[in-house]
Amino acid sequence: MKISRRTFLKTTLGAVLATGFPVFSPPHALSKPKRSVREFRFSASKARVNLGAGPDFTAWTYNGQVPGPEIRVREGDIIRVALTNHLPEGTTIHWHGLPVPNAMDGVPEVTQKPVMPGETFVYEFEARPAGSYIYHSHVNYQLDQGLYGPLIIEPSHPREVYDREFTLLLEDWVMKDGGGIADTKRRPPMGMMMRGMMRRRGRLSTRGRPLLEPVYDGYAVNGRMYPAAKPLIVSKGDRVKLRLLNPSSASIYDLQLAGHSLTITHVDANPIKPVETDVLRIGMGERYDAEFVANNPGHWLLAAREGGFGEGMLRIPVQYGGVRREEPVAPIFRRGLRLAAYWDFQALYPSDEAVSGPADRSYPQTLSGGMHSPFWTINGRVYPDSERLVVRKGERVRMAYWNHSMMPHPMHLHGHFFKVVNASLPERRWILKDTIIVDPMERVEIEFLADNPGDWFHHCHNLYHMEAGMANVVVYES
Ligand SMILES: [Cu+2]
């Protein structure tokens, strides 16, 4: 998953010459690129896989591979994916972060019926805006069984200049047949209150009882586990762009590249004023584009601490061409390193939206659970018995998160980007995101413009928290 930018530019130039566009005009002078329909065929099926280290096991896959095939298109293209289900249960695909039309959003029983075994469903939507995205199944625990992949939308008029680009999916794996759910246990029956809740939902069997999070066997990048991970080969002087995507089910990573700092340029597909950092924290469902300048020849590791503590487990070598292959140098996580936070970021292009006064609606969202409860809740309620957050088209809507639990929750809103409320910045510089980590005991507010009618899922992107109830639905009233 590597593209040399020089090669890419040469190819583009060749295409421009062939089509007779003026070659030396600046990009904005070119006529609008012709939009093309890009078709993909995805077959969801079980397959034997090996991550390069550890045993063979049976994962749930798109086209027999983990992660699924890369979708890479140009902004404005039409993406058409024909999904055929060869799994033993229903499935869907969700286009994480993309504000697609509601019927294409891939949430079972909210936007579509699951695609049942033997059936085919065609997803079709416009690729916009440019950026780094993930696609994944939104049914049961299929995400943690291997059903995810990268979706990259290149800008129609590139403004960035870099020499190399790598797309890196950061993955947590249970290397057992069936993936993550093969390592979980159902919670034992709880007290009277819990039983009351279950009875109300008509669920007295163990089925439907929340699962404990698995203990992961290892962490992979693009389906390869260190030392089998494919090294990133760079040359001295290169400007290197990394697209960092976290489709993991339950792992937050603190990433550091030994011998180099990272400059963050995009959060969840949206450009920000570049911020230099030593450590980059990325939660489930988040994407960051970051660059580094290859100015320190050697053999280095890009590595992560999982969950912000413990031993480095996710590792990928960064190797300079021509440097003798010696043991790569791992980053050292120590006090005093810079760790960029949401509050350090501001939008690269100020929004032109005229904003004034308070939001039209505000929804407090208290996040609780864990400790002695098998459920994870928003405002004390368990999906699907949770609130419906009613909005009207054109309104500015606030969500005020307050995390009452001891776990971080990466909260994700479908169908919209939201602004992260930051009192230290003018509103037009607030960053746009679609997933935001709310830390233990933290209060965070977001605001979104209700501009995409439909029923939209809103949930914690820890898969095991989501399945244990931490979700609700934003609905548009007419
Ligand atoms: Cu959570």
Side-chain angles (χ1 to χ4, degrees):
M1 293 196 194
K2 169 183 90 176
I3 284 190
S4 156
R5 174 59 45 172
R6 283 170 188 145
T7 314
F8 170 74
L9 283 175
K10 260 181 234 157
T11 316
T12 313
L13 202 63
V16 167
L17 284 168
T19 53
F21 282 114
V23 174
F24 298 106
S25 305
H28 62 266
L30 292 175
S31 57
K32 213 176 171 191
K34 214 173 131 212
R35 79 158 56 177
S36 45
V37 177
R38 302 287 310 277
E39 292 189 301
F40 301 86
R41 284 183 181 280
F42 279 18
S43 163
S45 66
K46 294 189 190 183
R48 296 294 283 175
V49 299
N50 187 289
L51 305 177
D56 290 1
F57 61 100
T58 301
W60 291 31
T61 72
Y62 295 115
N63 298 357
Q65 63 180 83
V66 289
E70 180 179 88
I71 295 179
R72 182 177 279 265
V73 300
R74 186 60 58 92
E75 188 174 29
D77 283 351
I78 301 297
I79 296 176
R80 186 181 292 158
V81 178
L83 166 68
T84 302
N85 186 1
H86 298 291
L87 296 168
E89 64 185 32
T91 192
T92 63
I93 302 180
H94 168 58
W95 314 96
H96 178 100
L98 269 173
V100 298
N102 194 244
M104 296 291 116
D105 197 45
V107 180
E109 311 309 338
V110 176
T111 69
Q112 72 171 113
K113 288 220 176 312
V115 184
M116 296 311 287
E119 292 180 351
T120 295
F121 183 89
V122 179
Y123 292 94
E124 184 172 323
F125 50 88
E126 190 180 354
R128 185 179 301 282
S132 305
Y133 299 91
I134 300 164
Y135 63 84
H136 64 81
S137 164
H138 223 296
V139 173
N140 298 340
Y141 298 93
Q142 292 175 5
L143 172 67
D144 208 14
Q145 300 183 277
L147 288 173
Y148 54 78
L151 196 173
I152 308 300
I153 303 178
E154 302 197 337
S156 47
H157 300 308
R159 304 185 200 215
E160 300 166 80
V161 180
Y162 45 87
D163 301 295
R164 287 173 201 272
E165 174 186 341
F166 299 93
T167 300
L168 305 178
L169 276 82
L170 316 176
E171 309 159 358
D172 50 11
W173 280 102
V174 169
M175 290 185 279
K176 290 182 182 151
D177 291 348
I181 57 165
D183 193 54
T184 53
K185 292 193 254 346
R186 295 202 185 273
R187 294 263 188 178
M190 301 299 289
M192 287 306 287
M193 186 190 75
M194 287 294 106
R195 260 182 248 133
M197 283 175 81
M198 303 249 211
R199 193 169 293 123
R200 213 179 49 209
R201 301 179 67 195
R203 288 177 170 179
L204 281 169
S205 67
T206 47
R207 200 178 145 68
R209 207 169 272 161
L211 296 171
L212 292 169
E213 283 174 40
V215 175
Y216 291 98
D217 297 321
Y219 301 86
V221 176
N222 299 341
R224 306 291 290 174
M225 200 168 285
Y226 187 79
K230 211 170 147 226
L232 314 185
I233 307 290
V234 302
S235 300
K236 191 175 181 215
D238 278 352
R239 180 172 286 275
V240 183
K241 178 182 177 77
L242 303 176
R243 294 180 184 267
L244 302 161
L245 284 55
N246 185 357
S248 289
S249 290
S251 303
I252 296 174
Y253 304 101
D254 280 354
L255 288 170
Q256 192 188 166
L257 172 57
H260 304 74
S261 62
L262 296 168
T263 299
I264 300 171
T265 61
H266 294 71
V267 298
D268 297 353
N270 297 293
I272 60 165
K273 285 192 177 175
V275 172
E276 196 180 335
T277 190
D278 298 313
V279 180
L280 186 160
R281 175 167 293 172
I282 180 168
M284 297 77 93
E286 287 190 301
R287 292 91 59 212
Y288 284 92
D289 293 3
E291 296 183 358
F292 69 91
V293 178
N295 56 7
N296 194 4
H299 192 196
W300 307 98
L301 281 181
L302 173 65
R305 297 182 300 176
E306 194 275 328
F309 48 80
E311 282 298 298
M313 296 202 63
L314 186 145
R315 298 184 182 96
I316 184 164
V318 174
Q319 203 180 336
Y320 282 65
V323 169
R324 200 152 39 87
R325 208 196 151 102
E326 63 228 351
E327 272 300 293
V329 177
I332 297 166
F333 291 88
R334 53 172 173 80
R335 260 174 208 278
L337 292 174
R338 289 169 296 177
L339 168 64
Y342 299 136
W343 321 111
D344 300 323
F345 303 143
Q346 48 182 307
L348 181 62
Y349 307 111
S351 76
D352 44 15
E353 233 170 85
V355 177
S356 62
D360 299 300
R361 296 188 195 243
S362 190
Y363 285 107
Q365 301 280 277
T366 299
L367 313 174
S368 318
M371 306 301 279
H372 303 296
S373 162
F375 291 104
W376 290 94
T377 60
I378 303 179
N379 294 346
R381 294 171 68 170
V382 172
Y383 183 80
D385 292 335
S386 46
E387 287 170 280
R388 291 154 65 81
L389 310 177
V390 177
V391 304
R392 208 171 257 164
K393 195 175 179 203
E395 288 180 335
R396 286 188 299 120
V397 183
R398 282 250 175 143
M399 303 262 206
Y401 298 115
W402 190 355
N403 184 353
H404 284 205
S405 78
M406 298 311 289
M407 290 274 287
H409 301 292
M411 298 302 295
H412 173 51
L413 174 64
H414 287 216
H416 307 73
F417 288 107
F418 52 73
K419 289 179 179 172
V420 179
V421 175
N422 183 344
S424 64
L425 285 179
E427 293 188 20
R428 45 205 289 281
R429 287 287 182 184
W430 290 354
I431 55 168
L432 284 172
K433 285 187 108 282
D434 52 65
T435 309
I436 184 167
I437 301 173
V438 185
D439 275 322
M441 308 318 288
E442 191 185 27
R443 299 177 81 149
V444 177
E445 289 192 34
I446 64 166
E447 185 174 305
F448 67 95
L449 178 66
D451 60 356
N452 194 6
D455 293 349
W456 298 103
F457 215 40
H458 167 241
H459 63 93
C460 176
H461 223 281
N462 178 313
L463 182 63
Y464 293 85
H465 295 182
M466 179 185 87
E467 288 291 317
M470 193 171 260
N472 56 29
V473 181
V474 171
V475 298
Y476 280 64
E477 66 174 14
S478 38

